[in-house]
Each structure stands twice: as structure tokens, then as C-alpha cells.
Amino acid sequence: MSVVYLYARIALKMSNKDLKYWVGFNLIPGIGRVRLTQLENYFGSLEAAWHAAPVDLKHSGLDSGSIRAITSWQPRLSLEAEMEKLDRYGVKVLTWHDPEYPSRLKEIYDYPPILYVRGRLAPEDEWCLAVVGTRRATVYGRQVTEEIVADLARSKITIVSGLAKGIDSIAHQSALEAGGRTIAVFACGLDIVYPSENANLARRIIQQGALISEFPLGTRPKADNFPRRNRIMSGMSLGVLITEASETSGAMITAHLALEQNREVFAVPGSILSPASGGTNHLIQEGAKLVRDYNDILEELNLTAVAHQIEIREVIPASDTESLLLKQLSAEPTHVDEVCRNSGLPISTVSSTLAMMEIKGLVKQVGPMNYVLAREVREVYRVKVD
């Protein structure tokens, strides 16, 4: 048994043991990322925090309101029953420590402590784009969404949206029909499909992507949940494309969240006489990238070589160590210290293995102790000349 395999088994055992406590705290209103960080840092694990006395919770830095919430909710919760329910619905739980947790999502300030997942998040989902728009799509909005999304999906870009009526549903469907991957972010628990008429679409997405949510099972969709859902869609993506939206559309919230998160915003122009395009035209006027076809997006994000990057990921590594390190890298530079933290391997092993992988052409060093998957996207980018 290799050292890497043994480490992975130990880490999995530890995470599974602690996981129900993450789920438990997520069921308690008002206990989010900041307070969970306080608890984990003070107690060393959420299991220890769960069993802590109120006085110890106070010493961890929690305010009195949070302590009251924890002590009042704990007697009402059965963690075993909740875990059984998650298993029954085929829901996997990812904490922010999990390697499968979307790395880009952890860059935003208020990233969710855990994600509930039905289906599968894949390494290639690192290259994803959120596509949103009006619930009342016109013929024009449907057509441009279908064409652009299909081309993006065929270019190995994962499409993220919110499963809402209109543009969201069209985006998911177009990605699936093009043979691509798509992720639907819920504003409710994953046991509730909203709107209900998208139940068949949700089942298809599970087979060819994933449904994800930060909300526990049983959470009903309500107005406050949708902006929180939108921040996940934009936060986990390289950018947001709005294909059709009025100036009062909820898609505009996603666009503004994307700007706050330092994500690219793209918009498809429409007729100045059409209220359905008022929002997208306004975004372009304010500086959003005007999109005529999918190439405008790929070129702006330097994603013309995503298929090549995915091929690099699929190269058969020579050892378990190479396999583990390959999963830690992407088209974005990653420092060797971060690779060590995420892999659990000592610096000597990581450095020597990365050096050998660079010789093989699997990775490339770009600056002091920073690595990317070979080759960096910018190096293979070519401008098309008509």
C-alpha cells in the first residue's frame, strides 16, 4: 500500500467522522463561515465544538446569540437521522476542506462552509461559466442562448445556472444536448426541485453534471435564498454571461455579484426597443464585454485551449504521488506551499515530484515556486485572422 493511498484513506476516515458535525452546525441558523472558522480554530475539530460546554463556546469567541442558537437547536437535531436522509437522497456533502470543493468558490468572502451535491463535480468543472437571464425569454433570447451555450459546451466549458424558468433552463438543456457538463445551483434543499416542472431536467443534470446547494434538505425556496444562490453561481465561475434580461431582472443581481467577486461579466446585446434586452444593453454600456458569439468569451478568458488542458489532466501519471499532485494544479498558478497543504505531502516529496513532472511536460513552473498544468493557456492562445 502506497504512502499516498494510506494518507488518503486516513484523511477520508477522519473527514467522514467529522462530517456529521459540519452538517449539524449547518442546520443551526446564524452559524456560518465566520463562526465555524472560530469554532474549528479554537477546538481543533467541529466534533469537539459540538460537544463543548457553553462556557467553552464563549471562550472560542462566539457571541451570546450564537451560543443560544447552538444550545437550543442541538437537542432537537439527530445527526444520524440527517446523515441517513442525505444518503437516501444520494447527496454527498463537501466541506471547504474537501479537494472536490470548487477552488474558485473559496476565493469569495462569504463562501459556504459546506455544499450538498447530487451528481458529480469533476476536475474539468474548474473551467465553468455561469449563464443567466430572464425567466420570460423571447425567441431571440432562446436562440442566442442555445447557440452560444452549445458552442461553449462543445469547447469543454461547464455551464452553471440556477434551474429557473427561461434562460437558466435553456442554458442547462443546451449544454446537455451538446454533450457537455452543466451544474445547477439550488436556492433550496436538493430534495426539492424548483420549479417543479424542471424535475426531469434536474434528473438529466445529475447524470451529466451536478445539482448543488448550501441549504439543508427540506429547505423551501424563499426570496432571501436566491441572492445567496446567485453568489455561488458567480463565485465558482470564471465569469457570468447574461444573454437576455430586463433592467429589473434577477440576473442583474448575479452580474453585480460577479463584479464584486472580481469575475468577468459578459452580455449579449439586443434591440433598444426590447425591454427584455434593457438589462444586457445597460451592462454593456457600463463596461461588460459585448458578446457576439462564444469566441468572444473564450478569447477574453484565454480559454481557447481548455480541451488541451483537459487532455493534460487525462495523461496517465507514473505514480500515485504524481496523480495526487496533478489534481492540485490548474491553468492558474499554484504555489508549492498550497500544493503541500492540499496534498498532505512533505515539501521534499512535492518539490522532487514536480521537478520530474516538469521534465515530462506535465507541469510548468511559472515564477518562484508556482506551478501550472502544462502548457499555460496563454502560451497556446492564437488570434484568429479573418
Side-chain angles (χ1 to χ4, degrees):
M1 182 182 293
S2 72
V3 173
V4 174
Y5 180 73
L6 180 61
Y7 171 83
R9 288 290 299 275
I10 293 172
L12 179 62
K13 183 177 180 181
M14 291 173 62
S15 62
N16 284 341
K17 181 185 177 188
D18 206 38
L19 191 59
K20 67 180 180 180
Y21 300 104
W22 286 82
V23 171
F25 277 115
N26 200 56
L27 291 167
I28 300 175
I31 306 301
R33 181 191 66 81
V34 173
R35 291 175 177 82
L36 281 180
T37 300
Q38 287 178 278
L39 291 171
E40 193 176 27
N41 289 343
Y42 184 82
F43 292 103
S45 73
L46 291 191
E47 178 182 10
W50 185 265
H51 297 295
V55 64
D56 294 319
L57 292 174
K58 184 176 182 179
H59 290 157
S60 74
L62 290 191
D63 59 273
S64 57
S66 298
I67 296 172
R68 282 196 300 271
I70 292 171
T71 55
S72 64
W73 273 87
Q74 280 181 330
R76 306 184 232 170
L77 300 175
S78 170
L79 302 189
E80 287 71 22
E82 189 67 21
M83 297 304 289
E84 288 175 6
K85 187 161 73 167
L86 290 167
D87 186 60
R88 189 164 65 250
Y89 278 96
V91 175
K92 181 177 182 179
V93 179
L94 303 178
T95 77
W96 66 49
H97 298 304
D98 198 300
E100 292 181 57
Y101 189 102
S103 59
R104 195 167 283 107
L105 185 58
K106 286 191 285 188
E107 296 174 359
I108 71 173
Y109 171 74
D110 55 343
Y111 58 87
I114 69 174
L115 289 175
Y116 301 92
V117 181
R118 292 185 70 183
R120 183 179 69 92
L121 294 178
E124 55 265 36
D125 296 335
E126 176 185 340
W127 295 284
C128 64
L129 184 82
V131 180
V132 295
T134 179
R135 286 173 168 79
R136 298 179 178 85
T138 66
V139 173
Y140 169 76
R142 172 177 288 275
Q143 181 180 353
V144 297
T145 303
E146 288 175 343
E147 291 181 2
I148 293 174
V149 167
D151 286 334
L152 288 170
R154 283 190 284 265
S155 300
K156 306 300 184 183
I157 305 300
T158 297
I159 302 301
V160 177
S161 199
L163 203 72
K165 295 178 183 178
I167 296 299
D168 288 25
S169 296
I170 296 166
H172 290 305
Q173 291 165 351
S174 301
L176 293 170
E177 289 167 7
R181 288 183 54 80
T182 186
I183 297 169
V185 186
F186 278 30
C188 53
L190 293 184
D191 55 335
I192 302 170
V193 176
Y194 180 83
S196 58
E197 55 261 38
N198 274 345
N200 287 334
L201 177 58
R203 282 191 283 270
R204 291 176 62 198
I205 293 172
I206 291 173
Q207 299 302 316
Q208 211 165 310
L211 312 177
I212 68 173
S213 177
E214 68 176 315
F215 299 105
L217 295 183
T219 303
R220 307 295 304 181
K222 59 180 184 178
D224 291 348
N225 292 357
F226 289 92
R228 295 190 59 78
R229 181 274 308 272
N230 294 350
R231 92 188 191 289
I232 295 177
M233 290 163 48
S234 56
M236 68 184 293
S237 303
L238 290 161
V240 173
L241 168 65
I242 299 91
T243 55
E244 185 177 51
S246 69
E247 293 198 62
T248 58
S249 171
M252 300 295 284
I253 297 175
T254 310
H256 294 142
L257 286 168
L259 290 172
E260 291 175 5
Q261 296 164 345
N262 199 29
R263 303 293 188 255
E264 296 292 337
V265 175
F266 303 90
V268 175
S271 169
I272 61 172
L273 303 177
S274 171
S277 292
T280 51
N281 290 341
H282 178 74
L283 287 171
I284 292 168
Q285 190 176 43
E286 292 296 310
K289 172 72 174 181
L290 185 151
V291 172
R292 298 164 300 173
D293 61 29
Y294 77 109
N295 284 308
D296 291 329
I297 298 171
L298 296 184
E299 291 174 2
E300 183 71 18
L301 295 175
N302 289 318
L303 293 178
T304 53
V306 164
H308 169 75
Q309 296 290 336
I310 291 175
E311 288 172 5
I312 290 294
R313 284 190 183 275
E314 294 172 350
V315 172
I316 299 174
S319 66
D320 289 340
T321 304
E322 286 191 3
S323 178
L324 184 61
L325 296 187
L326 203 60
K327 293 176 183 177
Q328 314 305 320
L329 301 176
S330 68
E332 296 296 323
T334 303
H335 195 274
V336 69
D337 288 345
E338 185 177 347
V339 176
C340 290
R341 284 195 301 272
N342 294 337
S343 66
L345 298 175
I347 183 67
S348 57
T349 301
V350 171
S351 297
S352 60
T353 306
L354 287 174
M356 183 58 66
M357 292 170 71
E358 186 170 18
I359 293 173
K360 294 179 181 179
L362 294 176
V363 304
K364 181 174 181 178
Q365 187 171 1
V366 286
M369 306 299 282
N370 283 281
Y371 287 84
V372 297
L373 287 175
R375 293 163 285 164
E376 190 175 11
V377 169
R378 294 177 185 83
E379 294 184 350
V380 295
Y381 168 69
R382 295 290 183 270
V383 177
K384 291 173 58 180
V385 179
D386 295 328

